[in-house]
Structures are given as structure tokens and as C-alpha cells.
Amino acid sequence: MMMKRVVEETEDEERAALADLKKDKNNLKRQLQQFEVDFYKEHGRMPEKRDKESVRHLYERFKAVRNQINARKDHRRSENNNNALSRNTHNDSTSSANKIAALKKERKMLNLMIRNFEDDFYRKNNRKVSSLDDTLPMATYYRRYITVKKAIASIEGLEQETNEEMQVEETNNDTSHSGNPEQG
């Protein structure tokens, strides 16, 4: 019951973060459109690349926010696929391989999102992310990244243990049969 509540809270946080990003994106888009309208009124033409230099930071921020939104949507799709995968598959080795592949894909996507965030942070603040407060906008993704890494290690560890147990059983079966003169 507690786990379900935590998952629901995480999903609510995710929805809120996505809504905030969409608001930010729409606000930036309005600012950029207003710049173009004002520029057109003043100059009688649409701005060219060199004319947009004064609002370059807005374009960069818009692109970063748009990428974060897309990454979050991809993450949600991946999570939905993972949930469907875990509901439809059980303990056979192919499902483990599929789970690991899906988790590794999610880890890669999360890593990319986090690195983009850290790069944007560095450009804005002229320093690397160094404290928990710095990571707050992406805290959900940092936590998920750690969880996914642990899940991959856990599944790979279980597979390793299972393979070792199977090898021990095969070895025990081989030695017990080879010592029996009736089977020789």
C-alpha cells in the first residue's frame, strides 16, 4: 500500500513537472513570437539569424525545455512499455533480457536528460552542479536513474547467480553419474 502511494506521488510530481515545463515552453514561445512581431514592425521584415542574436538565450532555453519535454514523454512511454512488459512476462530468460534491454534504454535516456540539464546549468551558472539544491528541478530523474541502475544490477546479479547454480547442478549431476558403475 505504501509503495503504491509513493508511485502515485512520483507520478503526480512528474505530471506537475511536465506541466511546468510546458508552461515555460509556451511562455518562451510567446516571447520569441513577440520579438519577431516587434522586429517586423520596426524593420518591415522578419528577423534573420544575425538579428536574433540578442534573444539567442531565449532560443537556447526554448530548445532545452522542448528537449526536456520530449525526453520526459519518451521516459513515460518507456515506463509504460516496461510496465506492460513486466505484466506480460515472467521469469524466463528472454523476459529478463528484454527487461534489461528496456532498463538500459531507459538508463541511457535518463543519463542524456541529466547530462543536458547539467550542461544547461553550466551554461547558465558558469559552474557545475554541486549541491542538492542545484539538482532539484531534475530530482525525480536523478532518483529514477539510480533506481534503474540498481534494477539492472539486481537482474544481472540474479541471472549470474542462476547461471552459477545451474553450472553447479550440472557438475553435480555429471560427477554422480560418472561414479556409478551401472551407468558406465
Side-chain angles (χ1 to χ4, degrees), residues 9-23 72 76 141:
E9 288 173 3
T10 303
E11 288 173 0
D12 289 343
E13 290 172 1
E14 177 62 27
R15 281 189 209 98
L18 188 58
D20 288 344
L21 282 172
K22 286 180 178 179
K23 286 178 189 174
R72 286 175 187 245
R76 184 177 286 168
Y141 298 100

Side-chain angles (χ1 to χ4, degrees), residues 40 105 127:
Y40 185 82
K105 184 177 178 181
R127 66 180 179 84

Side-chain angles (χ1 to χ4, degrees), residues 103-113 145 148:
L103 286 169
K104 285 183 176 181
K105 184 177 178 181
E106 182 179 1
R107 180 186 65 187
K108 186 175 182 179
M109 189 268 311
L110 288 166
N111 191 0
L112 179 65
M113 285 175 53
Y145 180 77
V148 168

Side-chain angles (χ1 to χ4, degrees), residues 71-87:
R72 286 175 187 245
K73 286 179 179 178
D74 289 346
H75 171 72
R76 184 177 286 168
R77 269 185 240 121
S78 173
E79 219 169 48
N80 289 341
N81 289 343
N82 287 345
N83 290 341
L85 180 63
S86 64
R87 279 192 305 269

Side-chain angles (χ1 to χ4, degrees), residues 2 13 20 25 42 50 55 62 67 69 107 122 125 134-135 145 147 153 162 164 170-171 174-175 183:
M2 180 66 167
E13 290 172 1
D20 288 344
K25 178 185 154 207
E42 185 176 331
R50 61 185 157 86
V55 291
F62 178 82
N67 289 343
I69 289 170
R107 180 186 65 187
Y122 184 82
N125 301 296
D134 294 344
T135 64
Y145 180 77
T147 302
T162 303
E164 289 171 359
E170 287 174 5
T171 305
D174 289 344
T175 56
Q183 294 200 355

